[in-house]
Amino acid sequence: MSAPETNKAEVHAPVYVYELPVRLWHWVTAPCIIILAATGYLIGNPAWPLIAGEPFHHYVMGDIRFIHFTAAYILGIGFLLRVYWVLMGNRYAKEIFILAVWRKSWWHELFQTLRWYSFQKSEPMREVGHNPVAQLAILAVFVLGVLFQLVTGFALYGEGAGGWAHTLFTSWVIPLFGGSMEVHTWHHLAMWYILIFVIAHIYLVIREDIMSRQTMISTMISGWRYFKDSRS
Amino acid sequence: MISVADKPQTFYELMRAQGTSRRSFLKFCSLTAAALGLEPVYADKIAHAMETKPRLPVLWLHGLECTCCSESFIRSGNPLSSDVILKMISLDYDDTLMTAAGHDAEAILDEIPNKYPGEYILAVEGNPPLNEDGMYCIIGGKPFVERLKSVAANAKAVIAWGACASWGCVQAAKPNPTQAVPIDKVITDKPIIKVPGCPPIAEVMTGVISYILTFDRLPELDSRGRPAMFYGQRIHDKCYRRPHFDAGEFVQSWDDEGARKGYCLYKMGCKGPTTYNACSTVRWNGGVSFPIQSGHGCIGCSEDNFWDNGPFYSRLANIGAGFGVEATADTVGGTAAAAALAGVAAHAGASAIKHFTRKPGEGDKQ
C-alpha cells in the first residue's frame, strides 16, 4: 500500500496529457480504421449476391475501393503528421513511439501493470500517460501495424494507379514479398492484427476508466487527465 | 542442325538464299515492327539491321521443364517462329527442335562459346535442381546445372524462358524436393531477361528476340527483370471484363447468369489483379482468345510462387501450406479476432467480479 494519506480531500492536480493534435489524430484515425477494415474486407471478399445489368449502371466495387483509398490517404497523412508531432509535442506524445526501455522504472511499471491485468495486484499504478503495457502494445501492434498497412497498401495502390505510390512503394515492396498475391495476403492478415488491437484497446480503456485511478476516455476528448485519489 | 560457318551470314542473305523475295522480306520487317509496337519508320531500321548484322547465335538449353515454352514458341504467329528460327537467329542448339543428336550435337555447346565469346544468347527453358549435386536432371551424362554454368560463362545475355527458369514453377513449389531454383540463383554475372509464364505468350517470346536483334540491346526490364513492354501491367489493368469488376458484377458460380453474360471472375479466383502479363492485350493463338475471354479465371502462371498461392478458384490465397494447415487470411484472422473477443469477455467478467466484490478499504478508494 502507499504512503499515509495526508489530505484526504485533495487529489492530484489534473495534467494536460494529450495535446490537440494527438486527440485529433486519434479521433480521425479511429473511424479511418473501421472504414478501411470494412471496405478492405469487402474488396477481398465481395460478399454481395449477383448484380446484373449493364456495368455502367453500377459502380459498387469502384465506390468501395474509392472509399478505401481515400480513408487510406487520410490515415497516411495523419500518421505522418503524428510522427512529426513526436518531435514537436510533449513527453506523452513520444511515449508510444519511443519506449523508455533503458529506465529501470519502465520495466518495474511493466511488470506491475501486467500483475494488475492478471489480477495479481489489487491496486493499479497511478499513470499520467500510457502505462508500459499500453505503450508496448500500441507500438508493436498499432503503430507498426498501421505503418505496415500503409506501406503494403500504397504498394498495392501503386500497381493500378502508378505515379508516386508506384515509385515509392510498389517498386520495392512487391519484389520483397515475392509477388502481388503475397502482398495482398499479408495486407489482409495485418488487418486482423490491427482489429485485434482495436478489440483489446476499446475493452481496456473502458475497464481502466472504471477501475483505474485516473480518467481514460474523457482524457482523449479533453486532453486533461484527472486523478481519483491523492496517493502516489 | 545448322552448321557454324566461319563468317556468319546476315539474315537478309539467308532469306534471299532460301528464296524469299525482297518484297516479302520488307513485309516481314513491317509486321515485326508492328508486333513490337514500334512506329512505322522502324520497319526500315529492322530491314537495315537484318541486311547488315550477322545472325545472332542462340543456344537453347532445357532443364527441368515440360516443354510448354517450346510448344508456345513454335506457335508464334507474328513474327512466325519459323521466321525467327530460320531467318533471324542462328539457333545452333535446341535439343527439342534440332535433328542432330548424340556427341556431335553436344559438341556445339563447347564450340559456340569458344567461337563467339560474348556474342551469343543463351536461352534457358526449365531450371536446375541443386539437391544431390544436381542429380535430378542429367542431360548428356552431366548434371544440368554444370552445363548451364559452363554455357552461360561466355554468353552475351541470358533469356529465362517461362516460369521455371524465371521463378522455379511447379518443381520449386513446396516442398521442392529436388531444390529446383530459378536460373538467376546459378547465373549471377550475366544480364538475365525473365520471360515468365507457363508458358509465356508466343508473340512475347519472339518479340523479345526480335527486339534484341533489331536494336542490338536488351529490352528495358522492370524491377523483377522482366521486359517492361510485356510485363509492365497486370492482366486486370487491360482486361475487357474490367467494367464488370468496377461495377461489382461478379460471377458467383460457374453456371449462373453472370458466367453466361461474361461478368468479372474475381470471386471465382481469377488472379488477373495480381498477375503481370500481356494476356489481356496480346492474347493467345494469334490473338484469338485468352483464359478470361474463354470464361475461366487467370491462374497467375507468370507470377512467382503461383503454385503455392492457390487455390485457383478462390480469391484469397491459402496460407500456412507448409504446416499442412490450409486457411485463408480471413479464416486465420477471424479465428484470432474471435479468440481475442472471448478473451476480452472472460477478462471483463473476472474484472467485474473483482471490482464489485472487493473488500472496503482494499484497492482503489474513490
Side-chain angles (χ1 to χ4, degrees), chain B residues 16 18 36 38 70 85 93-94 98 145-146 151 160 186 198 206 229 236 244-245 252 256 262 296 301 303 360 363:
Chain B
R16 291 309 299 262
Q18 287 176 340
L36 288 171
L38 300 170
S70 292
I85 297 169
Y93 181 94
D94 182 340
M98 66 188 186
V145 61
E146 287 176 19
V151 179
V186 175
C198 192
T206 50
M229 59 181 153
H236 187 60
H244 294 291
F245 171 85
Q252 312 282 328
D256 71 354
H296 189 283
C301 76
E303 284 294 301

Side-chain angles (χ1 to χ4, degrees), chain B residues 180-308:
Chain B
V181 293
I183 61 166
D184 61 359
K185 293 278 187 290
V186 175
I187 305 166
T188 50
D189 57 346
K190 298 285 172 190
I192 296 179
I193 308 161
K194 292 183 172 181
V195 187
C198 192
I201 301 169
E203 282 75 13
V204 169
M205 299 176 81
T206 50
V208 167
I209 291 181
S210 306
Y211 187 96
I212 297 172
L213 221 56
T214 307
F215 297 104
D216 210 9
R217 61 163 191 258
L218 304 181
E220 183 201 342
L221 304 179
D222 68 7
S223 62
R224 307 216 61 191
R226 303 170 292 199
M229 59 181 153
F230 296 119
Y231 295 91
Q233 280 187 308
R234 297 168 302 173
I235 288 170
H236 187 60
D237 294 317
K238 291 280 176 68
C239 182
Y240 79 104
R241 295 193 184 197
R242 179 63 190 262
H244 294 291
F245 171 85
D246 289 327
E249 297 182 335
F250 299 114
V251 174
Q252 312 282 328
S253 68
W254 291 115
D255 55 356
D256 71 354
E257 187 198 351
R260 286 192 291 279
K261 287 189 170 167
Y263 289 176
C264 176
L265 294 159
Y266 184 77
K267 283 178 81 173
M268 304 310 291
C270 179
K271 302 289 184 286
T274 54
T275 303
Y276 288 82
N277 208 336
C279 301
S280 51
T281 43
V282 177
R283 307 194 185 195
W284 287 78
N285 300 318
V288 170
S289 184
F290 71 113
I292 294 166
Q293 193 174 343
S294 307
H296 189 283
C298 165
I299 62 170
C301 76
S302 57
E303 284 294 301
D304 200 354
N305 290 323
F306 84 97
W307 291 103
D308 291 328

Side-chain angles (χ1 to χ4, degrees), chain A residues 1 5 41-56 58-63 65 117-124 156 159-161 166 170-172 174-175 177-182 184-185 188-189 191-192 195-196 199-200 203-204 207 210-213 228-229 231, chain B residues 223-224 234 236-237 242-252 256-258 261 263 266-267 271 273-276 303-305 309 314-319 328-334 336-338 340-341 343-352 354-356 361-366:
Chain A
M1 285 293 286
E5 291 156 22
Y41 182 85
L42 284 175
I43 291 168
N45 180 19
W48 55 85
L50 183 70
I51 297 174
E54 290 298 330
F56 53 78
H58 310 283
Y59 202 59
V60 179
M61 197 67 162
D63 284 336
R65 293 174 75 240
Y117 283 147
S118 57
F119 308 109
Q120 304 296 306
K121 191 172 181 289
S122 56
E123 190 182 60
L156 296 173
E159 285 193 291
H166 191 281
T170 316
S171 56
W172 62 273
I174 304 278
F177 282 81
S180 178
M181 195 71 222
E182 283 88 345
H184 278 87
T185 303
H188 218 91
L189 275 174
M191 172 193 79
W192 289 104
L195 282 184
I196 289 167
I199 292 168
Y203 164 64
L204 283 173
R207 179 185 194 265
I210 298 165
M211 294 174 66
S212 79
R213 292 162 56 189
K228 301 174 188 172
D229 57 51
R231 286 164 293 117
Chain B
S223 62
R224 307 216 61 191
R234 297 168 302 173
H236 187 60
D237 294 317
R242 179 63 190 262
H244 294 291
F245 171 85
D246 289 327
E249 297 182 335
F250 299 114
V251 174
Q252 312 282 328
D256 71 354
E257 187 198 351
K261 287 189 170 167
Y263 289 176
Y266 184 77
K267 283 178 81 173
K271 302 289 184 286
T274 54
T275 303
Y276 288 82
E303 284 294 301
D304 200 354
N305 290 323
N309 277 334
S314 111
R315 165 63 195 155
L316 295 174
N318 278 342
I319 51 176
T328 65
D330 275 348
T331 319
V332 172
L341 271 176
V344 159
H347 198 268
S351 300
K354 186 97 178 167
H355 187 63
F356 295 111
E362 185 201 6
D364 52 337
K365 295 163 190 163
Q366 296 182 38

Side-chain angles (χ1 to χ4, degrees), chain A residues 87-132:
Chain A
L87 305 172
M88 305 306 290
N90 64 17
R91 54 183 292 199
Y92 307 109
K94 299 172 173 51
E95 66 187 9
I96 63 166
F97 288 84
I98 304 156
L99 309 185
V101 288
W102 57 89
R103 285 204 196 109
K104 222 182 152 188
S105 60
W106 189 88
W107 292 97
H108 175 75
E109 273 188 59
L110 177 79
F111 289 114
Q112 292 306 310
T113 312
L114 283 175
R115 286 185 65 217
W116 159 244
Y117 283 147
S118 57
F119 308 109
Q120 304 296 306
K121 191 172 181 289
S122 56
E123 190 182 60
M125 309 278 290
R126 190 179 78 93
E127 299 286 353
V128 181
H130 291 97
N131 69 50

